[in-house]
Amino acid sequence: MIKLFDTHTHYDDRAYNNDRDELISRLLSENVAGFIAVGCTLERSRKAVALAKKYENVYAAVGIHPQDVNNLPPDYLKTLEKLTESAKVKALGEIGLEYFRTYDKKQQNKIFLEQLELAQSLNLPVIIHSREAFPDTFEILREYTKKGMRFVCHCFSEDGEAAKKLADLGVYISFTGAIAFEKKTERAIDACKNVPDELLLLETDCPYLAPPPFRGKRCDSGMAWYTAQKIAQIKNKTIDETVEMCNNNAARFFEIN
Ligand SMILES: [Zn+2]
Ligand SMILES: [Zn+2]
């Protein structure tokens, strides 16, 4: 039986405080191959690495989310770099620009660029969080892809044209359960169609964004199978073919065997 690799999770969230280990063990024994535990702050990056060390086929990304760029200690880059010394850390992230809820664009851009320089020096791929910030994000990715860096735009919510522009740069694009939300369907389908097969990734961003029929409930990696089902329809493939394709893409992007 094929299992699904979830490229973006937040199992350190308090939503899992009552059953974290039980849930993860069950998922890994069922239809989940593994996942990337993604950091948002220094503390949560540390937790992501700890989780990755605990389980086989679980890996980590470390980074400062654009909503958490204020009040960072001056040596935060050193702390991140130190965390990447674990062989289980496969990417920097999630980092980027978030213009939806906060407007400290200057600070966000500064911290984003500092982390991109770190990722480049460490030769690590980067998980991008970009919301309501596509023009700025695109310009930055255009510069850094020229330098040979690898990116995935996670929780993709832009339109088909944006997907095509990113795909032309070789940027991977990852969809959550939101691709199956009723209101967003048309735009998301159009975006998904414009992503070449070899650049497509699957994620949950759990505990958020549970796909239908679980919408509003706590999400977990097993639910990414419903996202795969939606993408399979769009791409005219079987669900297993879709999962296998996305697993292979994830293995290539994160350099996981
Ligand atoms: Zn995000
Ligand atoms: Zn996330």
Side-chain angles (χ1 to χ4, degrees):
M1 189 195 76
I2 184 170
K3 293 185 169 198
L4 181 153
F5 188 85
D6 184 354
T7 63
H8 195 113
T9 68
H10 299 285
Y11 285 109
D12 64 304
D13 193 279
R14 67 172 109 86
Y16 304 106
N17 278 359
N18 291 329
D19 62 347
R20 182 171 296 106
D21 287 309
E22 196 186 321
L23 173 68
I24 292 171
S25 300
R26 180 173 63 75
L27 292 169
L28 294 173
S29 73
E30 291 176 354
N31 58 7
V32 175
F35 55 85
I36 307 278
V38 178
C40 300
T41 63
L42 288 178
E43 185 52 33
R44 297 189 71 181
S45 294
R46 265 184 219 107
K47 287 181 177 173
V49 176
L51 204 60
K53 284 179 176 169
K54 198 166 179 181
Y55 295 96
E56 211 184 329
N57 298 325
V58 172
Y59 302 90
V62 298
I64 309 297
H65 189 287
Q67 276 179 272
D68 296 292
V69 292
N70 294 308
N71 308 316
L72 283 170
D75 61 347
Y76 82 96
L77 284 170
K78 278 216 175 75
T79 307
L80 287 178
E81 185 173 359
K82 188 90 189 136
L83 285 170
T84 66
E85 284 172 9
S86 164
K88 281 278 194 152
V89 175
K90 296 296 185 184
L92 238 73
E94 56 183 297
I95 67 175
L97 302 171
E98 163 73 75
Y99 296 167
F100 179 66
R101 274 173 278 200
T102 48
Y103 300 93
D104 50 351
K105 293 187 180 181
K106 206 173 150 203
Q107 178 71 355
Q108 286 191 20
N109 275 269
K110 176 175 177 277
I111 302 299
F112 184 25
L113 292 174
E114 285 175 357
Q115 292 182 94
L116 287 176
E117 292 294 323
L118 176 64
Q120 190 183 15
S121 74
L122 296 170
N123 197 22
L124 283 172
V126 177
I127 300 169
I128 298 290
H129 173 104
S130 174
R131 194 166 179 201
E132 309 275 318
F134 182 74
D136 286 3
T137 301
F138 181 75
E139 283 311 313
I140 290 168
L141 296 195
R142 187 156 66 178
E143 287 311 308
Y144 279 88
T145 47
K146 279 184 202 157
K147 302 175 185 181
M149 285 182 68
R150 286 170 294 147
F151 296 101
V152 56
C153 279
H154 110 92
C155 194
F156 195 70
S157 59
E158 303 295 335
D159 61 11
E161 197 191 330
K164 198 176 172 313
K165 284 175 84 172
L166 289 168
D168 287 345
L169 297 180
V171 171
Y172 286 64
I173 290 174
S174 178
F175 290 98
T176 63
I179 196 173
F181 290 178
E182 301 258 318
K183 269 193 191 158
K184 295 188 180 169
T185 296
E186 214 168 297
R187 178 182 164 99
I189 289 173
D190 193 39
C192 186
K193 278 183 181 159
N194 277 338
V195 180
D197 286 358
E198 67 274 14
L199 295 179
L200 200 56
L201 295 181
L202 277 170
E203 65 165 300
T204 53
D205 204 14
C206 65
Y208 313 109
L209 302 172
F214 307 104
R215 192 158 181 194
K217 298 218 167 79
R218 183 183 76 169
C219 186
D220 66 54
S221 299
M223 295 178 190
W225 278 91
Y226 290 85
T227 307
Q229 184 179 25
K230 182 75 186 176
I231 291 174
Q233 282 168 12
I234 296 166
K235 290 280 185 181
N236 220 350
K237 296 178 188 296
T238 67
I239 300 173
D240 279 8
E241 280 168 355
T242 304
V243 169
E244 195 176 8
M245 173 181 90
C246 293
N247 283 352
N248 289 336
N249 293 343
R252 188 188 325 114
F253 181 80
F254 292 105
E255 297 186 320
I256 293 165
N257 298 315

